[in-house]
Amino acid sequence: MNKEVKMNVYRFDPNKDKEGKFQEFTVPVKEGMVVLDAVHYIENNMDPTLGVRWNCKAARCGSCAAEINGKPSLMCKTRVDSLGDKIHVAPMKAFPIVKDLVTDVSRNWEIARKIPEFTPKKGLKEPWQIAEIDVSRSREFRNCIECFLCQDVCHVIREHDKDYIGPRFMVKAASLDTHPLDSINRSKFLHEEGGAGYCNITKCCQSVCPEHIAITDNAIIPEKESIVDSYYDPVTMLFKKIRGKHGQ
Ligand code: SF4
Ligand code: F3S
Ligand code: FES
């Protein structure tokens, strides 16, 4: 184990600076140290003005998302000793910078509000009952911690940010569509407002998810298939009409 590590941390204050730059700090390494520890060491001992957002330090809240050596990652889950003796830490590129490592992810909350909400089937008897086997498909999607690393890595979001809701919200739609008591189909929304057609299945989102959600395989591809069925397969359209699952 190295005794110290060179931390190159991105610095940018939009209220003061024209452009950002990396600043190097030498930080002593301790056993089990994660990148967030090293950033806190800088904040506590070298520069208290360093902007960093975190909350749980346990990979649960999603707020310490950043780009570590170019890879979207959680700072609290990435071990310093897994990265060599020089580490670059930068804010997520897909979102505007508030200060240094802190980004403004509020656009995601706007998208969240647009997803057609859970709509229970009519006439359900109280209390609602769901068989264990019926919740298993959507359980994976509910592990999302809303770190937005998948949104950050998606080239469609980076290049056409207004047009595509992004992988996190394809997961959200899939979690609702696979809910056994939900009554609506979100294909119309995903196709016409969500920009699902922009996703070309690169799977980069899936490769960075700290919860190991199979974003592309289990959420995006089935939702895209459902869109194709809803719009172009007359048999499925008829079946959905008979079942009464309304398109949204
Ligand atoms: Fe983060 Fe994974 Fe949720 Fe995307 S799907 S926001 S990468 S936890
Ligand atoms: Fe983007 Fe993931 Fe599709 S990275 S292009 S949403 S497979
Ligand atoms: Fe909560 Fe890292 S501090 S996920």
Side-chain angles (χ1 to χ4, degrees), residues 150 153-155 167 199-209 213-218 220-221:
C150 56
V153 81
C154 176
H155 71 102
C199 165
N200 54 351
I201 319 281
T202 58
K203 298 199 184 189
C204 307
C205 49
Q206 186 161 299
S207 71
V208 301
C209 178
I213 299 170
I215 301 173
T216 321
D217 295 337
N218 293 347
I220 296 178
I221 291 175

Side-chain angles (χ1 to χ4, degrees), residues 36 54-64 74-76 145:
L36 186 62
W54 68 286
N55 201 327
C56 67
K57 201 172 175 274
R60 300 316 313 150
C61 72
S63 55
C64 69
L74 294 179
M75 286 190 274
C76 71
I145 59 169

Side-chain angles (χ1 to χ4, degrees), residues 34-130:
V34 291
V35 171
L36 186 62
D37 292 323
V39 170
H40 279 160
Y41 183 89
I42 296 166
E43 194 189 14
N44 295 332
N45 299 284
M46 297 167 159
D47 187 348
T49 69
L50 176 62
V52 56
R53 180 163 52 214
W54 68 286
N55 201 327
C56 67
K57 201 172 175 274
R60 300 316 313 150
C61 72
S63 55
C64 69
E67 301 202 2
I68 302 173
N69 288 353
K71 185 180 174 197
S73 315
L74 294 179
M75 286 190 274
C76 71
K77 202 180 175 184
T78 307
R79 293 270 298 240
V80 165
D81 60 10
S82 70
L83 296 167
D85 55 7
K86 206 162 192 178
I87 298 174
H88 281 74
V89 190
M92 289 193 284
K93 282 198 185 71
F95 305 111
I97 298 177
V98 176
K99 187 174 185 308
D100 301 330
L101 302 176
V102 180
T103 51
D104 176 3
V105 295
S106 57
R107 177 176 174 255
N108 295 299
W109 314 129
E110 288 162 25
I111 299 171
R113 281 192 280 274
K114 290 186 195 160
I115 308 282
E117 62 191 329
F118 173 69
T119 309
K121 290 173 181 167
K122 288 203 175 90
L124 288 172
K125 282 198 194 122
E126 301 276 353
W128 293 351
Q129 291 190 352
I130 305 173

